[in-house]
């Protein structure tokens, strides 16, 4: 319904920005909240009520959810494997965001609350083989999630469950599997594998130095979900009647070496690979079992990885090429 008032927490981030854009296209009334200064938001829309708030604070959460019907909580201190392996305490502190948002949402009489969880909530002992058996929702228990970030996600899932059971707040949970696409982080340490590989290949293309560093041995496997599939699935889960955690991810499993192959093909070049075995690489294998989401909604994320990567590569190239040209001009001037 168009009259629903919606808040997107983490609206200045990658997924949040795309979600706000899609809700706007539907004519929704939206508030977007993020801790980052407005100048650092990935997407910003003047027709939205934009607020810069630190949602670790309960008062900020109360302001964020005031007079809204639906809360999408995508706010988190997170990044790619390099970030989450080296910032476990920061990742754990995100528990304050979801806890305070749930408390504020209950007190404000919010109708529905969506929590963006992660495949990092899954037990590590089920992800030791690159030829991984796709992860079913029940594989999160017995609990042994990714240290730091994964524990925060699993704890926050339980908090959502208990706010539903004890207070009747309609909570919905999706476990995101590696979301990628344009208008996201591709440098600085928080980027995820698809964006990082695109950036490295573009750097090699622009510089003429045809080498690439790959973290790990390249045999570790993942599935990667196109951003539009994520946005569609997120709203489907929010508006549906299924209250347990649901996988939201592609089931197209690839190794990191295959990911590099695809991006090389898009760029039209072949690179020498240097494998950094001491770099963070995460679990050996992770894939999404989509049996349950197909049963509940008759749908699953299905955009082919190459199709999404072509668009992601093009967008990152558009950001990097002018900078590279400017640097080359400066270097020429110095000579």
């Amino acid at each position: 319904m168009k009259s629903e008032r919606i808040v997107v927490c983490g609206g200045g981030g990658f997924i949040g920005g795309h979600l706000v854009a899609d809700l706007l296209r539907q004519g929704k009334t939206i508030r977007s909240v993020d801790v980052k200064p407005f100048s650092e938001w990935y997407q910003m829309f003047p027709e939205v009520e934009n607020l810069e708030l630190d949602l670790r604070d309960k008062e900020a959460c109360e302001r964020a959810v005031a007079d809204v019907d639906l809360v999408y909580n995508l706010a988190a201190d997170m990044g790619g494997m390099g970030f989450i392996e080296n910032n476990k305490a920061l990742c754990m502190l995100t528990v304050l965001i979801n806890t305070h948002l749930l408390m504020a949402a209950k007190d404000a009489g919010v109708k529905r609350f969506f929590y963006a969880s992660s495949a990092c909530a899954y037990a590590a002992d089920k992800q030791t083989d690159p030829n991984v058996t796709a992860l079913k929702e029940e594989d999160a228990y017995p609990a042994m999630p990714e240290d730091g970030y994964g524990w925060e996600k699993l704890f926050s899932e339980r908090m959502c469950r208990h706010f539903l059971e004890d207070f009747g707040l309609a909570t919905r949970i999706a476990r995101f599997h590696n979301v990628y696409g344009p208008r996201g982080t591709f440098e600085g340490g928080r980027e995820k594998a698809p964006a990082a590989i695109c950036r490295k290949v573009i750097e090699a293309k622009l510089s003429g130095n045809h080498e690439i560093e790959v973290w790990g041995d390249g045999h570790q496997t993942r599935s990667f979900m196109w951003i539009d599939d994520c946005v569609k699935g997120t709203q489907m889960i929010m508006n549906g009647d299924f209250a347990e955690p649901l996988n939201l991810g592609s089931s197209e499993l690839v190794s990191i070496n295959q990911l590099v192959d695809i991006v090389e093909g898009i760029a039209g070049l072949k690179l020498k690979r240097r494998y950094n075995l001491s770099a963070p690489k995460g679990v050996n294998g992770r894939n999404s079992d989509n049996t349950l989401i197909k049963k509940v909604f008759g749908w699953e994320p299905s955009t082919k990885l190459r199709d999404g990567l072509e668009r992601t590569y093009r967008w990152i190239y558009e950001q990097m090429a002018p900078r590279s040209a400017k640097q080359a001009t400066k270097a020429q001037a110095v000579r």
Side-chain angles (χ1 to χ4, degrees), residues 26-237:
Q26 299 170 46
K28 303 290 188 183
T29 303
I30 307 158
R31 176 181 297 150
S32 183
V33 180
D34 206 284
V35 70
K36 295 186 287 294
F38 291 150
S39 61
E40 295 177 16
W41 287 29
Y42 294 110
Q43 296 188 69
M44 197 169 185
F45 305 92
E47 59 270 53
V48 169
E49 181 190 359
N50 298 299
L51 299 177
E52 183 189 327
L53 296 172
D54 186 344
L55 294 173
R56 288 170 297 190
D57 297 331
K58 187 165 181 284
E59 294 76 13
C61 291
E62 288 165 351
R63 188 175 165 199
V65 306
D67 304 315
V68 302
D69 301 300
L70 308 180
V71 175
Y72 285 93
N73 179 18
L74 295 96
D77 203 344
M78 57 85 69
M81 194 50 60
F83 179 81
I84 65 176
E85 283 202 6
N86 293 305
N87 295 277
K88 295 186 176 75
L90 277 181
C91 290
M92 287 292 283
L93 283 170
T94 296
V95 77
L96 295 172
I97 297 174
N98 197 58
T99 303
H100 287 148
L101 275 174
L102 282 167
M103 293 167 71
K106 174 184 78 75
D107 293 343
V110 163
K111 291 178 185 171
R112 290 197 173 207
F113 185 103
F114 173 89
Y115 176 62
S117 185
S118 165
C120 289
Y122 281 111
D125 63 358
K126 293 186 169 71
Q127 304 172 76
T128 57
D129 189 338
N131 302 307
V132 66
T133 301
L135 294 159
K136 289 184 163 69
E137 283 76 4
E138 61 263 30
D139 289 333
Y141 297 94
M144 185 64 73
E146 183 85 40
D147 201 11
Y149 180 68
W151 277 110
E152 184 276 319
K153 291 300 183 188
L154 201 60
F155 175 87
S156 293
E157 286 187 11
R158 302 303 295 186
M159 188 72 86
C160 288
R161 170 193 283 265
H162 298 316
F163 266 71
L164 170 62
E165 293 170 342
D166 295 359
F167 306 121
L169 175 59
T171 55
R172 301 290 182 263
I173 301 163
R175 290 180 184 147
F176 290 170
H177 287 249
N178 295 307
V179 188
Y180 74 98
R183 297 184 177 274
T185 304
F186 61 90
E187 59 189 352
R190 290 181 185 250
E191 66 276 14
K192 296 196 171 182
I197 297 298
C198 285
R199 186 200 76 238
K200 289 177 180 182
V201 171
I202 292 165
E203 283 172 346
K205 189 180 180 79
L206 293 172
S207 70
N209 179 20
H210 288 185
E211 281 194 2
I212 184 171
E213 181 185 77
V214 177
W215 286 9
D217 59 14
H219 297 305
Q220 63 270 35
T221 54
R222 297 288 187 277
S223 63
F224 300 99
M225 173 172 48
W226 174 240
I227 181 63
D228 292 357
D229 285 341
C230 178
V231 167
K232 179 177 180 176
T234 292
Q235 293 173 78
M236 200 178 280
I237 291 168

Side-chain angles (χ1 to χ4, degrees), residues 237 246-248 290-300:
I237 291 168
L246 267 174
N247 276 334
L248 186 55
N290 289 343
T291 304
L292 189 53
I293 195 169
K294 286 192 286 187
K295 182 180 174 187
V296 174
F297 293 110
W299 176 87
E300 66 173 320

